[in-house]
Amino acid sequence: MRVPARLIPLAAVTAASALLTGCFSGGQSATDDSGAGGKRIRLAMMQPPRSGLSPLSDDAFKLSRWSTAETLVKLDADGDAEPALATEWAQSGRNWTFTLRDGVTFHDGTKLTAETVVNSLTKAAAASPKPRILDGVDLTAKADGDKVIVTTATEDPLVPQRLSSPQLSILAAKAYEGKTVSPVGAGTGPFELTKVNGTSSAALDRYDGYWGKKAKAPGIDVRFVPDGTARAAALRSGEADIVEAVPVSQAAVLDQDLITEVPMPRTNTLYLNTEKGAFKDAAVRAAAREAIDAESIVKGVYEGRADVAEGLLGPALPWAAELRKPVQRAKAGDPAGKTVTIGTFTDRAELPEVAAALQQQLQKAGFKVKLDVREYANIESDALAGRFDAFILSRATVLDSGDPAAYLYSDFASGGSFNIAQLADPAVDKALQKAGETPTGDARRKAVIAAEAAVLGTDAAVPMLHERVIQGDAAGVTDAAHDPRERELVTADTYVK
């Protein structure tokens, strides 16, 4: 059970603060009068690098959040593609031609060319494992003068969105000269990565040769602080300017003016096994859905810092609510004392508490409920094999392309690779196929919502809540990004007064 924030002993907070004492000292000065923003930004991040900051791993999102590595394309709030290192693009069948931006130099002084772009994309496509965004995608790139032609094995309307993934960042040739990809001094962003100290810290300086708007801050000093209490203490004590992922348990004891809750494209969902067991019966699935009180879970487990779900796609995708219509579902039947086993994992602290709350709610409705809670690494294979009647999962609903169609297919298509619900419904498959084939824009968004409705109509999944991430910004911080996709954090506009 979570200890209420107000009951956390002062000694624990003091000890956590000690973990950060001096962690932003000993390097460059915290102030730099030559910078428009005046001070270097002290940033406390949750997870240390897992792969030496290789852009071909999840570490790519750190490079993106520090504005040091850039992609050909970026995404707007709706997930539509916008120019970045490429200024325009056009499709012809399986080929997409990208026109590169003039006047871009890498941090090592070399120029952005079609050849350097092809080099980065080819290295990514040949990587093992591949970047997630290229799963199942056969992508090649070649230079055509000052343009780049990207080709896929089949026509793919999502190529520009795929190329927005931070894992497909374009780096200078020198980044690929060693056994691992090194982004130090090899990006194109407004900040140059100058130093990495293993899993403890990193430093970036403003890059005055940047092709776009110059950074207002003279640099960024990053510390990796996995302990959530320590990150919160750093904000409280003034030792950090921006703090990632403040724990819910700590948010209540911080100055509320210093924290921002950002809706995440992440849904806490109860997957019901449609292939066997009690929930093979649609009426029993409907009974479970009606028994769930998501609002009480939001208030009790998440202390009100989450959003009750109306569908699989939440407020991080604002267009979803605007397009959504009532869903036709089966009528609830009688649980009649049926025994069900619910699985979940401990890696996300809230999920065991959610499981306990659901156990009580379903028992009150007439079910007999057993819980199986383990570490994710020890439970995933059983979940995917359909060994549970139900499974609670916190699931990202937009993957690296910023498009939810891939998540819906993965989780609910009869051939989906992450089909925990074991769903095999022809109507759902048809709707998912249409969503995947529809060109990007309003038509695709409508097709995605139609696919969501098809899934919800089966009660194979009961969305309960949409999570938020809590970001801490010190009083002097101006224009830090609050990005639901976690691709932006410190931008060229961010500075500390």
Side-chain angles (χ1 to χ4, degrees):
M1 180 177 295
R2 176 182 293 117
V3 180
R6 62 183 179 277
L7 297 183
I8 294 176
L10 179 60
V13 175
T14 303
S17 182
L19 293 175
L20 282 177
T21 300
C23 77
F24 289 101
S25 63
Q28 300 185 41
S29 171
T31 62
D32 182 342
D33 292 336
S34 67
K39 296 181 180 179
R40 294 177 63 84
I41 298 169
R42 299 168 300 168
L43 172 60
M45 300 195 76
M46 178 175 66
Q47 292 183 332
R50 296 177 178 178
S51 303
L53 290 176
S54 168
L56 304 181
S57 70
D58 279 346
D59 289 350
F61 289 84
K62 293 178 174 58
L63 304 178
S64 176
R65 284 167 76 72
W66 301 339
S67 293
T68 189
E70 298 178 307
T71 50
L72 291 179
V73 175
K74 63 181 181 180
L75 300 179
D76 66 12
D78 286 333
D80 292 330
E82 291 186 331
L85 294 180
T87 56
E88 58 185 14
W89 46 89
Q91 181 183 14
S92 176
R94 297 185 296 113
N95 298 322
W96 286 81
T97 301
F98 291 83
T99 301
L100 302 184
R101 187 178 296 278
D102 289 332
V104 177
T105 58
F106 292 102
H107 297 150
D108 66 352
T110 60
K111 292 185 177 181
L112 176 76
T113 65
E115 287 74 19
T116 56
V117 171
V118 168
N119 185 52
S120 289
L121 296 181
T122 300
K123 295 290 187 183
S128 181
K130 280 186 179 182
R132 283 192 309 263
I133 196 64
L134 297 181
D135 269 350
V137 178
D138 183 4
L139 180 147
T140 59
K142 68 177 182 179
D144 182 18
D146 60 354
K147 299 182 185 334
V148 173
I149 300 176
V150 173
T151 303
T152 51
T154 59
E155 286 193 28
D156 184 356
L158 272 187
V159 165
Q161 277 81 357
R162 293 188 193 281
L163 295 182
S164 77
S165 169
Q167 292 185 323
L168 298 183
S169 295
I170 308 301
L171 299 181
K174 79 166 194 174
Y176 305 94
E177 292 174 351
K179 291 183 178 179
T180 60
V181 183
S182 172
V184 176
T188 59
F191 292 99
E192 176 185 355
L193 181 62
T194 57
K195 189 175 183 180
V196 179
N197 296 311
T199 58
S200 62
S201 66
L204 302 95
D205 293 339
R206 179 175 52 228
Y207 179 59
D208 290 329
Y210 182 54
W211 60 265
K213 184 187 294 185
K214 303 299 186 291
K216 293 182 178 179
I220 310 170
D221 292 316
V222 182
R223 293 297 181 270
F224 303 109
V225 188
D227 184 273
T229 302
R231 289 196 306 279
L235 183 66
R236 185 185 302 107
S237 66
E239 291 186 55
D241 301 308
I242 301 175
V243 174
E244 265 196 332
V246 175
V248 168
S249 61
Q250 290 293 302
V253 297
L254 292 172
D255 182 341
Q256 298 303 291
D257 290 337
L258 302 184
I259 61 175
T260 303
E261 296 181 26
V262 183
M264 298 293 291
R266 179 175 285 280
T267 304
N268 191 311
T269 301
L270 179 67
Y271 291 74
L272 302 179
N273 191 331
T274 63
E275 185 180 46
K276 61 184 179 181
F279 292 129
K280 183 177 181 179
D281 185 341
V284 179
R285 296 198 297 271
R289 167 180 38 86
E290 291 196 355
I292 294 173
D293 180 1
E295 186 172 356
S296 70
I297 294 173
V298 167
K299 290 180 179 178
V301 177
Y302 288 83
E303 301 179 14
R305 299 182 188 273
D307 298 291
V308 175
E310 299 296 331
L312 293 165
L313 308 178
L317 300 174
W319 50 266
E322 299 168 3
L323 297 175
R324 188 175 288 126
K325 297 178 181 178
V327 176
Q328 295 295 320
R329 293 182 168 99
K331 185 177 179 180
D334 183 1
K338 289 182 171 61
T339 298
V340 296
T341 299
I342 300 176
T344 195
F345 49 97
T346 57
D347 303 53
R348 286 186 171 271
E350 295 83 7
L351 293 189
E353 295 184 59
V354 172
L358 281 181
Q359 182 181 41
Q360 293 180 2
Q361 292 177 5
L362 292 174
Q363 286 175 339
K364 185 176 180 181
F367 290 94
K368 294 179 181 178
V369 183
K370 299 177 181 178
L371 300 181
D372 188 340
V373 182
R374 312 175 217 160
E375 290 185 359
Y376 186 76
N378 298 325
I379 204 170
E380 181 190 54
S381 60
D382 284 345
L384 292 174
R387 296 194 177 103
F388 298 104
D389 297 297
F391 196 80
I392 304 167
L393 185 68
S394 174
R395 181 71 162 140
T397 57
V398 293
L399 304 182
D400 294 343
S401 67
D403 180 79
Y407 141 74
L408 290 170
Y409 184 90
S410 173
D411 286 29
F412 302 110
S414 54
S417 62
F418 208 76
N419 190 353
I420 290 176
Q422 312 300 312
L423 184 62
D425 186 293
V428 170
D429 285 345
K430 183 178 179 180
L432 291 171
Q433 182 178 359
K434 181 178 179 181
E437 293 175 350
T438 302
T440 57
D442 288 340
R444 187 178 181 92
R445 286 190 276 272
K446 290 177 181 178
V448 163
I449 291 299
E452 180 201 56
V455 171
L456 293 175
T458 68
D459 281 323
V462 183
M464 295 180 289
L465 58 96
H466 306 294
E467 297 182 10
R468 306 173 191 163
V469 66
I470 304 171
Q471 179 175 315
D473 300 328
V477 174
T478 300
D479 290 334
H482 301 104
D483 180 16
R485 297 190 191 99
E486 295 186 291
R487 293 186 176 195
E488 292 186 326
L489 182 58
V490 178
T491 72
D493 290 324
T494 309
Y495 66 96
V496 181
K497 296 179 181 177

